[in-house]
Amino acid sequence: MTEAEPGIEARRVAGALLEGALSGRDGLAAVQAGKPFNALSPQDRAFARAVAMGALRRLGEIDRALDARLKTAPPQQVRTLLRVALAQRLALDVPAFAAVSTAVKLAEREAKTRPYKALVNAVLRGLERDGLSDGDPATNLPGWLAARWTQAWGADAVAAVAAAAREEPATDLSLKPGVDAGALAAALEGEVLPGGSVRTRRRGDLSTWPGYDAGDWWVQDAAAAVPVRALAPQPGETVLDLCAAPGGKTLQIAATGAAVVAVDRNASRLKRVHDNLARTGLAAEVVAADAAAWDDPRTFDAVLLDAPCTATGTLRRHPEALHAVRPADVANLSDVQHRLLDAAADRVKPGGRLVYCVCSLEREEGEGQVPAFLRRRADFRLTPIDPAAVGAPDDALSDHGLRLHPGQWSDRGGLDGFFVARFDRVA
């Protein structure tokens, strides 16, 4: 990148991030771990990621606008340039001259895209001339997922999910006991949510925010804080947190005064758990092991299983999840969840409790797991959860637990999708 071409390399990397996200489940992470992304300045890395996320959130709208202008489909590299340029305009309000001129310069840099330089310029300038406007948010959802969700909840709920998915979400913070939520919300120009989380629209380096160095809070979506509230750990109890990384729920449990053991098979992801425990001054036993095959004889007063899933409920923060998941993943992960639930149940003391949750919007991973588990385990009973008591939307209550989806709390900016169920083991 030269002084004459500010942001060119950041936009090229944004295209690489977008293509990586669309290539498969680990594609985005692979690009972010690569040299081109990490060679950017922190500011340019943030810009590149914001552009890629904006493109993913509005991919249906962007492609419809482009297809209306393109007589024939251009090479994929050219479509990526066009998508990146329109994402800047629709999602980030980058000035038209900057988005268009940098797209043309990027087209000129590569042999495969150079012949399409004039096309890139004509398409983008034509769209600007005719006026860019928001399209139907529902077009940004993969069709097969939208059809599943419509069948499960109805068209109105899916329209609300699509509207929430298009917007960059706020940041939610969970607080240590004794921290003044109102004061922190005021300092961050945010609000206190039901349940006690603080939501802020502030952006930038978290380490500069009030209370960070003191360990007063950690980042955790308001929906992700609900399962631990449903588990209701008490001081002095023993609690097992299975599939614990990145550790927000571990911190919640530790903050109650319970003795928590956090287990996750991914040792590298557990580093973040260690870091946050150190920053907040909270304590937990952290174990790198497969939750289904963990060789430890202990049983616990309470067990939390945040099972691996398709993560379709995180579409606000991770729009790449929608484009990575395939129909076969739902069935495959449902089987994994089945096995992990059985392993988790064996860890619960008689009279103890088990909370199962997934950040998925798929019924097979959530509601469908409950009756099947109860048929296998006659020693467990499903326990109703009061939404108000755990900081969940009133309309989250379902026959099998709590169903949270991004269209809820639309007046507050939405929340992640989660399914949460609590079981009590017969004494």
Side-chain angles (χ1 to χ4, degrees), residues 10-385:
R11 288 165 167 85
R12 186 187 73 80
V13 172
L17 290 169
L18 175 59
E19 290 184 343
L22 296 175
S23 70
R25 181 167 292 275
D26 298 321
L28 180 66
V31 177
Q32 289 185 141
K35 184 177 179 181
F37 179 77
N38 288 290
L40 297 175
S41 68
Q43 182 178 356
D44 277 358
R45 282 201 299 272
F47 177 79
R49 182 172 170 81
V51 171
M53 293 297 102
L56 290 167
R57 290 190 179 102
R58 290 176 172 257
L59 195 61
E61 295 172 80
I62 288 171
D63 280 350
R64 284 196 172 196
L66 291 176
D67 290 342
R69 285 269 165 188
L70 294 166
K71 294 181 180 179
T72 58
Q76 187 58 47
Q77 298 96 319
V78 175
R79 181 172 286 270
T80 296
L81 292 179
L82 293 167
R83 285 169 164 174
V84 164
L86 283 190
Q88 293 170 62
R89 297 290 294 124
L90 289 172
L92 300 181
D93 285 333
V94 170
F97 73 87
V100 175
S101 65
T102 51
V104 173
K105 289 174 182 177
L106 280 170
E108 193 173 23
R109 282 175 53 165
E110 302 291 335
K112 291 182 178 179
T113 56
R114 193 172 298 126
Y116 297 90
K117 180 179 70 171
L119 174 70
V120 169
N121 184 62
V123 167
L124 294 177
R125 292 194 181 280
L127 287 168
E128 290 292 340
R129 183 178 60 250
D130 293 346
L132 289 173
S133 60
D134 292 337
D136 180 0
T139 63
N140 300 316
L141 303 177
W144 70 278
L145 284 173
R148 289 169 60 89
W149 299 342
T150 301
Q151 184 177 25
W153 310 314
D156 289 345
V158 175
V161 169
R166 188 167 69 176
E167 305 301 324
E168 183 180 4
T171 299
D172 295 344
L173 308 177
S174 289
L175 280 55
K176 285 174 62 176
V179 176
D180 187 330
L184 181 63
L188 293 172
E189 299 177 330
E191 64 173 318
V192 181
L193 299 175
S197 297
V198 169
R199 171 165 291 180
T200 176
R201 290 284 176 184
R202 179 180 285 202
R203 306 296 179 196
D205 186 355
L206 295 177
S207 66
T208 66
W209 290 11
Y212 178 87
D213 289 335
D216 289 346
W217 49 261
W218 57 93
V219 175
Q220 185 179 30
D221 189 84
V226 168
V228 172
R229 297 189 193 121
L231 187 68
Q234 302 298 312
E237 286 189 323
T238 58
V239 182
L240 176 62
D241 183 6
L242 292 174
C243 309
K249 298 176 184 66
T250 300
L251 296 172
Q252 269 185 286
I253 298 168
T256 67
V260 57
V261 179
V263 177
D264 197 281
R265 67 186 300 173
N266 191 324
S268 62
R269 293 186 74 214
L270 285 173
K271 181 182 184 301
R272 185 172 170 187
V273 181
H274 285 291
D275 291 345
N276 275 322
L277 286 168
R279 182 176 63 83
T280 58
L282 297 170
E285 179 185 344
V286 181
V287 179
D290 185 336
W294 183 38
D295 185 17
D296 190 294
R298 285 177 287 179
T299 55
F300 298 81
D301 298 310
V303 175
L304 174 68
L305 171 61
D306 185 359
C309 65
T310 54
T312 50
T314 66
L315 77 177
R316 293 158 61 247
R317 300 185 190 284
H318 301 288
E320 70 276 11
L322 290 189
H323 301 284
V325 68
R326 300 291 180 265
D329 296 337
V330 179
N332 293 338
L333 284 162
S334 296
D335 183 60
V336 172
Q337 293 146 9
H338 169 131
R339 291 186 287 106
L340 285 171
L341 252 175
D342 288 345
D346 289 338
R347 299 285 181 178
V348 181
K349 292 179 179 178
R353 55 205 184 276
L354 166 66
V355 164
Y356 168 77
C357 65
V358 285
C359 56
S360 167
L361 298 177
E362 314 318 309
R363 293 183 64 86
E364 296 92 329
E365 300 182 86
E367 293 86 342
Q369 292 287 344
V370 172
F373 173 73
L374 293 174
R375 285 194 297 269
R376 298 193 304 272
R377 296 298 299 250
D379 54 335
F380 280 85
R381 300 287 183 268
L382 181 66
T383 303
I385 305 171

